[in-house]
């Protein structure tokens, strides 16, 4: 039970883990992340890697949508830019040190983020949604066309390299997991830090009341663009890891579906919260797996039934978005909060 | 020059269809302030319903045979005289198809109306008063529900659907060049523009039109003035679904059926933003412009470039005129 | 300190401000009054940079800031509260007030993201300063961790004042600080305003409808009507100015007033 507030220094009050539950929660998650690859099979590791990569991207989207309050339906494009940048780097300079590739992917994606962010200086809400959506289509168009085929492989897609650390090639899922998980943790902590200090507060201020933020001396132009750059950079990192994680990529992987999936993860998890992307992504990526299990149980692995799987998954996804918006617009994090509030007050109140 | 005019005509025809689709988005936005990202999927359902009622149902065993193929004696006589592939033959085919075309249209209109009312009741109304973000996302969610549902319901390979008008080539000469278009396209063009103009007049001059416009201005005041706002919402969705059903039928006869048709709606959304969300006239202009630009891109640069024309155009327009050609600028009060 | 010279602002054909000129003297409280729609908030908006006046100048310490961007004016030390609350509703009281410190902090993206080191030192210093100068001063300590959205109106107004105060402003613009408050809350607010003036010597501009408060607090009163400045001077002189009486009470009243005077 978390009772009163007995802190004697501002430093304690301002720290991320300002109570024991959070401290232990964090420690346990790290332990889980370390132990998991040794107990999981390949299929679970595949899922875990995918989830971790998505968490990074959704955390990036959270910076823009959740914290800055700017809408984007085009973050699949940044994902794509990150992935294809990684491929292009390895195509030009095979065996580049993976962290360098990662940084370059982030920078390239962030640069595109600034470019995409330009409409945000003039429009908000819906107009921005359509502008980013358009940008997504345009980026995919360029990836598909023959002009950059040498790096992108055009419509047919391209094979992707494996990461090589000091002569050790990361081939197995387990090895790749050990590259992805730490990067995810670091990037999440970075985002968390960002939003308890000056920089992040400014972004939240823009979300809550833009003209009021301006009065506080926050330049809307520069912060909106920076927000776009950061969130694009996160997606770029995710894209780069995606390229390392999977053997091949296709332009279709990063289309509207990807952009919307990212948004759905964010909404399901809870916008503007650090834990939101984690919860949301786990839910959204695990539901199809559960659905697969259910479908195969009901139909005994009937081949005909498999046909229905993909449309059914779409319907479940769509219903989940709508359901969350109607019944739990604050996302899973809100349920989580309620649970903890309940525990901390337990015998006395609900 | 001749080529240019040919593509201009093609562009105007597809522009008119864009406008017909756009009207649904504008009508819903004007009254409910919801921008329907799933409008394309509503149209896809319209197309599939048309296919169901105009192709699948007439071929069913329990239907009388004249529904699928109406062949009274006089029609047979008329066709007997006509040459193959001639204008008369095309008209004769159309007349014999007429029962199922009408059945298809009526069925599609009714089914789409029911669908729209369901969506409005079950999804949009609970979200009333929520943020723009929630509204956008819920229609995005609808995209997936509708796409999945279509995939579950219509598993059969889609076939050709009958065109709304008789289909024969028209050749004519203009400025010394030979031009060519299909009569069915011309019929589509006329239907689309008539519907567009008709709806504009309805909105401007009828009681329910004024109710819709009042609701667009201010929902709560309209409520206070005794306007049945929920009914206005339903009306708007009905308009959207029914124009969507006709647009779907037209699209199905032009380009065939596929679950991917819905994505077309997103490009129309771009067109709508270009014209200005709350302006019918602006949307008409934008539709025609995009139709022509797409046709020109098709001609000079190829099909894949034509596909992204609306998206590039909307980006440019938003950067220069954030509220589209004729959209109303919202003034923020501090 | 802050001078407005011949400011003119129009929207389409409507003149919101027409030849408004006054000087808010350093360390004094200048009240701007006028009937509804007189252009008081428009005047604040050109001072804080949301609108650009079509003609005229705004001088801050003799530098022309007429064309300066709104966010740059914050760096000069111009702070403001809004008529309709403009708090950051998703944040706690503490975070709202911390935003007032935005211009004084230096940490950027990298230092913020890394946190430990300079960003942490800066944040803790800010926290200590805010606790002392704002939270204790405005008696907000019991609600510092509450989300602002759940606070009653009067407290929200006070938080907004606190946020402006955290900017350590040279000039503080208060747009109807006691609108909609009861007598007790109004008295509290008046006391805070006087305390601010006394403690930091802040130049204060005040838009207010509560005449009692205006007459008690203001060193100088500027009266606007339909965008025109019809009077300015001490509270007393303005009170007896016929143009002001006319604007507030109509012509009949003016005649009566002049009859009484004669």
């Amino acid at each position: 039970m978390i009772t009163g507030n007995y802190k004697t220094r501002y430093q304690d009050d301002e720290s991320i883990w300002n109570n024991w539950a959070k401290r232990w929660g964090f420690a346990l998650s790290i332990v889980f992340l370390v132990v998991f690859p040794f107990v999981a099979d390949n299929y679970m590791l595949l899922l875990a890697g995918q989830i971790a990569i998505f968490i990074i991207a959704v955390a990036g989207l959270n910076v823009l949508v959740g914290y800055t309050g700017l809408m984007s339906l085009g973050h699949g494009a940044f994902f794509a830019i990150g992935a294809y940048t990684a491929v292009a780097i390895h195509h030009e300079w095979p065996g580049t040190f993976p962290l360098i590739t990662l940084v370059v992917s982030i920078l390239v994606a962030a640069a595109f983020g600034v470019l995409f962010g330009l409409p945000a200086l003039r429009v908000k809400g819906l107009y921005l949604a359509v502008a980013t959506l358009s940008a997504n289509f345009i980026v995919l168009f360029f990836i598909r066309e023959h002009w950059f085929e040498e790096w992108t492989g055009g419509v047919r897609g391209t094979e992707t390299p494996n990461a090589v650390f000091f002569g050790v090639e990361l081939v197995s899922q387990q090895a790749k997991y050990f590259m992805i998980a730490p990067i995810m943790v670091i990037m999440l902590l970075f985002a968390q830090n960002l939003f308890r200090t000056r920089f992040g507060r400014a972004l939240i201020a823009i979300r809550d009341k833009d003209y009021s933020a301006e009065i506080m001396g926050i330049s809307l132009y520069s912060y909106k663009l920076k927000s776009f750059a950061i969130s694009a950079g996160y997606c770029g990192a995710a894209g780069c890891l995606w390229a390392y994680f999977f053997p091949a990529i296709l332009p279709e992987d990063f289309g509207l579906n990807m952009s919307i999936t990212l948004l759905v993860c964010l909404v399901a998890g809870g916008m503007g919260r650090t834990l939101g992307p984690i919860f949301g992504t786990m839910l959204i990526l695990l539901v199809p797996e559960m659905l697969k299990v259910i479908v195969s149980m009901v139909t005994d692995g009937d081949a005909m039934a498999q046909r229905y799987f993909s449309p059914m998954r779409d319907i479940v996804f769509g219903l989940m978005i709508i359901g969350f918006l109607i019944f739990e617009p604050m996302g899973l994090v809100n349920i989580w909060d309620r649970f903890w509030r309940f525990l901390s007050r337990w015998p006395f109140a609900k | 020059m001749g080529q240019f005019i040919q593509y201009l005509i093609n562009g105007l025809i597809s522009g008119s269809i864009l406008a017909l689709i756009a009207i649904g988005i504008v009508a819903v936005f004007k009254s409910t302030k919801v921008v329907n990202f799933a409008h394309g999927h509503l149209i896809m359902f319209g197309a599939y319903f048309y296919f169901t009622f105009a192709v699948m149902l007439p071929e069913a065993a329990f239907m009388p045979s004249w529904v699928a193929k109406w062949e009274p004696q006089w029609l047979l006589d008329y066709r007997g005289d006509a040459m193959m592939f001639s204008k008369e033959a095309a008209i004769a085919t159309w007349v014999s198809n007429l029962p199922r075309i009408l059945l298809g249209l009526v069925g599609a209109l009714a089914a789409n109306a029911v669908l729209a009312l369901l969506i409005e009741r079950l999804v949009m109304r609970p979200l009333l008063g929520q943020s723009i973000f929630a509204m956008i996302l819920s229609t995005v969610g609808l995209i997936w529900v509708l796409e999945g549902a279509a995939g579950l319901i219509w598993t059969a390979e889609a076939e050709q659907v009958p065109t709304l008008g008789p289909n024969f080539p028209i050749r004519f000469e203009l400025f010394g060049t030979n031009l060519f278009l299909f009569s069915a396209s011309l019929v589509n063009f006329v239907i689309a523009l008539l519907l567009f103009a008709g709806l504009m007049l309805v909105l401007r001059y009828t009681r329910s039109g004024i109710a819709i416009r009042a609701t667009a201005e201010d929902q709560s005041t309209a409520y206070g003035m005794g306007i049945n706002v929920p009914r206005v919402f339903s009306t708007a969705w009905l308009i959207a679904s029914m124009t969507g059903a006709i647009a779907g039928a037209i699209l199905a006869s032009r380009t065939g059926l596929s679950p991917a048709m819905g994505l077309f709606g997103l490009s129309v959304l771009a067109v709508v933003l270009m014209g200005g969300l709350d302006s019918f006239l602006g949307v008409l202009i934008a539709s025609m412009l995009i139709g022509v630009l797409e046709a020109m891109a098709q001609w000079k640069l190829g099909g894949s470039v034509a596909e992204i024309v609306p998206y590039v155009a909307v980006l440019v327009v938003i950067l220069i005129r954030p509220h589209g050609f004729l959209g109303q600028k919202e003034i923020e009060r501090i | 300190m802050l001078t407005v010279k011949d400011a003119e602002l129009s929207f389409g054909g409507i003149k919101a401000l027409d030849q408004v000129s006054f000087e808010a003297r350093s360390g004094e409280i200048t009240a701007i009054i006028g009937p509804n729609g007189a252009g008081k908030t428009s005047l604040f908006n050109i001072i804080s940079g949301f609108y650009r006046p079509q003609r005229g100048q705004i001088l801050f310490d003799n530098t022309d800031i007429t064309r300066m961007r709104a966010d740059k004016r914050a760096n000069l030390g111009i702070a403001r509260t809004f008529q309709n609350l403009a708090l950051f509703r998703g944040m706690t009281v503490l975070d709202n007030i911390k935003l007032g410190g935005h211009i004084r902090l230096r940490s950027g993206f990298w230092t913020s993201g890394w946190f430990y080191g300079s960003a942490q030192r800066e944040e803790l210093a800010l926290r200590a300063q805010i606790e002392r100068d704002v939270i204790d001063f405005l008696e907000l300590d019991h609600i510092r961790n509450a989300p602002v959205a759940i606070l009653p109106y009067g407290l929200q107004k006070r938080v907004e004042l606190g946020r402006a105060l955290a900017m350590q402003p040279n000039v503080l613009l208060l747009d109807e600080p006691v609108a909609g408050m009861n007598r007790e809350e109004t008295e509290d607010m008046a006391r805070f305003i006087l305390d601010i003036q006394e403690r930091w010597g802040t130049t204060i501009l005040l838009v207010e409808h509560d005449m009692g408060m205006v007459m008690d607090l203001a060193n100088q009163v500027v009266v606007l009507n339909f965008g025109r400045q019809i009077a300015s001077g001490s509270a007393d002189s303005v009170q007896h100015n016929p143009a002001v009486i006319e604007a507030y009470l109509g012509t009949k009243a003016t005649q009566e007033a002049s009859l009484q005077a004669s």
Side-chain angles (χ1 to χ4, degrees), chain A residues 38 127 138 144 209 258 275 277 280:
Chain A
F38 296 105
Y127 290 87
I138 294 168
R144 240 184 268 122
K209 209 60 152 209
M258 163 84 83
L275 286 179

Side-chain angles (χ1 to χ4, degrees), chain A:
Chain A
M1 189 156 124
I2 303 159
T3 53
N5 183 348
Y6 305 116
K7 299 179 190 89
T8 52
R9 298 185 308 164
Y10 291 136
Q11 189 176 345
D12 300 329
D13 202 37
E14 296 273 318
S15 71
I16 313 180
W17 301 294
N18 51 10
N19 60 44
W20 61 264
K22 285 185 192 169
R23 273 191 291 276
W24 277 97
F26 180 70
L28 283 178
S29 336
I30 294 293
V31 169
F32 171 77
L33 281 180
V34 173
V35 174
F36 177 76
F38 296 105
V39 293
D41 59 16
N42 253 342
Y43 178 68
M44 283 163 76
L45 278 169
L46 182 78
L47 263 178
Q50 216 173 326
I51 289 175
I53 293 172
F54 256 81
I55 286 178
I56 296 175
V58 177
L61 189 63
N62 197 13
V63 171
L64 186 74
V65 179
Y67 288 111
T68 321
L70 296 171
M71 182 70 177
S72 169
L73 284 176
H75 264 54
F78 303 129
F79 215 111
I81 288 166
Y84 279 103
T85 305
V87 173
I89 290 170
H90 278 268
H91 181 268
E92 294 296 322
W93 303 282
T96 310
F97 189 64
L99 291 183
I100 294 177
T101 318
L102 182 72
V103 170
V104 175
S105 299
I106 291 175
L107 293 180
V108 172
F112 273 93
V114 172
L115 193 66
F116 281 26
L118 290 177
L121 302 182
R122 301 215 51 179
V123 293
K124 293 192 254 191
L126 163 80
Y127 290 87
L128 190 57
V130 174
T132 48
L133 179 81
S134 305
N136 194 351
F137 281 117
I138 294 168
V139 165
L140 282 190
F141 167 77
F142 279 108
I143 289 173
R144 240 184 268 122
E145 280 303 297
H146 53 90
W147 302 306
F148 304 103
E149 210 164 11
E150 190 187 346
W151 299 295
T152 65
V155 256
R156 278 166 290 109
T158 174
E159 285 181 10
T160 58
N162 277 329
V164 182
F165 279 93
F166 309 110
V168 184
E169 190 175 355
L170 306 185
V171 184
S172 72
Q173 303 290 8
Q174 199 183 28
K176 287 174 177 174
Y177 173 91
F178 275 117
M179 172 178 69
I180 293 167
I183 294 175
M184 176 192 79
V185 173
I186 290 170
M187 292 189 85
L188 282 177
L189 285 180
F190 192 90
Q192 164 68 30
N193 274 333
L194 212 52
F195 288 99
R196 60 180 171 138
T197 44
R198 173 177 181 265
F199 188 92
R201 266 202 310 270
L203 295 185
I204 305 177
I206 292 174
R207 173 192 73 186
D208 283 355
K209 209 60 152 209
D210 48 3
Y211 60 83
S212 202
E214 229 176 336
I215 286 294
M216 301 283 110
I218 296 162
S219 160
L220 297 188
Y221 293 100
S222 104
Y223 274 94
K224 279 183 180 175
L225 287 185
K226 281 176 188 162
S227 173
F228 255 99
I230 295 167
S231 82
Y234 269 71
C235 284
C240 172
L241 295 175
W242 186 269
Y244 280 135
F245 192 68
F246 289 102
I249 50 177
L250 280 170
E252 282 83 47
D253 295 346
F254 310 105
L256 183 65
N257 260 357
M258 163 84 83
S259 298
I260 297 178
T261 308
L262 294 175
L263 258 183
V264 176
C265 292
L266 186 57
V267 172
M271 285 185 289
R273 298 287 302 272
T274 313
L275 286 179
I278 302 174
F279 289 163
T281 309
M282 295 215 301
L283 177 76
I284 295 297
L285 294 195
L286 287 179
V287 158
E289 301 305 318
M290 287 186 259
L291 205 66
K292 247 184 225 165
V293 174
I294 294 171
V295 167
S296 68
M297 257 178 14
V298 171
T299 61
D300 291 327
D302 181 5
M304 262 310 283
Q306 292 304 318
R307 258 207 75 260
Y308 294 108
F309 172 68
S310 155
M312 269 181 48
R313 189 193 53 197
D314 286 352
I315 293 178
V316 170
F317 262 29
L319 288 179
M320 265 167 57
I321 308 179
I322 296 169
F324 266 106
L325 287 171
I326 295 178
F327 300 110
E328 196 61 71
M330 315 270 278
L332 288 173
V333 175
N334 200 31
I335 299 176
W336 174 257
D337 283 352
R338 274 208 301 274
F339 171 71
W340 280 102
R341 258 201 313 276
F342 167 75
L343 270 196
S344 68
R345 294 170 183 176
W346 170 56
F348 304 111
K350 274 216 268 195

Side-chain angles (χ1 to χ4, degrees), chain C residues 18-117:
Chain C
D18 191 11
Q19 295 188 341
V20 176
S21 306
F22 65 91
E23 188 194 351
R25 281 185 296 275
S26 183
E28 289 193 353
I29 297 179
T30 305
I32 295 155
I33 61 170
N36 281 327
K40 304 178 298 283
T41 299
S42 294
L43 180 61
F44 267 24
N45 281 342
I46 62 169
I47 295 174
S48 51
F50 288 128
Y51 302 141
R52 299 271 145 79
Q54 274 92 9
R55 214 162 298 144
Q57 280 183 314
I58 298 154
L59 302 175
F60 178 85
D61 263 349
N62 296 322
T63 43
D64 187 355
I65 60 164
T66 321
R67 316 232 140 252
M68 192 183 256
R69 279 203 341 236
D71 54 282
K72 296 269 187 257
R73 298 184 196 209
N75 291 316
L76 295 177
I78 301 181
R80 156 171 195 185
T81 67
F82 293 87
Q83 182 178 354
N84 313 314
L85 292 166
L87 286 167
F88 306 115
R89 292 179 68 82
M91 299 186 198
T92 62
V93 171
L94 194 58
D95 278 340
N96 262 283
I97 296 173
K98 274 183 184 171
L99 264 156
H102 184 84
I103 37 168
R104 272 180 290 125
L105 303 192
R106 287 288 141 254
S107 57
F109 170 65
W110 292 108
T111 40
S112 283
W114 176 247
F115 187 66
Y116 298 99

Side-chain angles (χ1 to χ4, degrees), chain C residues 122-177:
Chain C
E122 222 178 52
E123 289 289 326
L124 293 179
L126 175 70
R127 175 81 190 264
Q129 186 257 319
I130 280 176
E131 292 282 349
R132 188 181 64 237
D133 289 347
V134 181
I135 295 192
D136 281 358
F137 178 70
L138 293 180
E139 295 156 23
L140 291 169
D141 39 324
H142 58 299
I143 50 162
R144 63 160 81 77
N145 284 322
V148 286
I150 65 165
L151 296 178
Y153 178 79
L155 275 179
Q156 291 198 20
K157 278 272 189 194
R158 208 193 291 175
V159 173
E160 200 174 335
L161 178 65
R163 189 179 67 181
L165 215 52
M167 292 171 75
Q168 301 187 333
N170 298 317
V171 175
L172 182 57
L173 310 176
L174 302 174
D175 199 344
E176 302 200 11

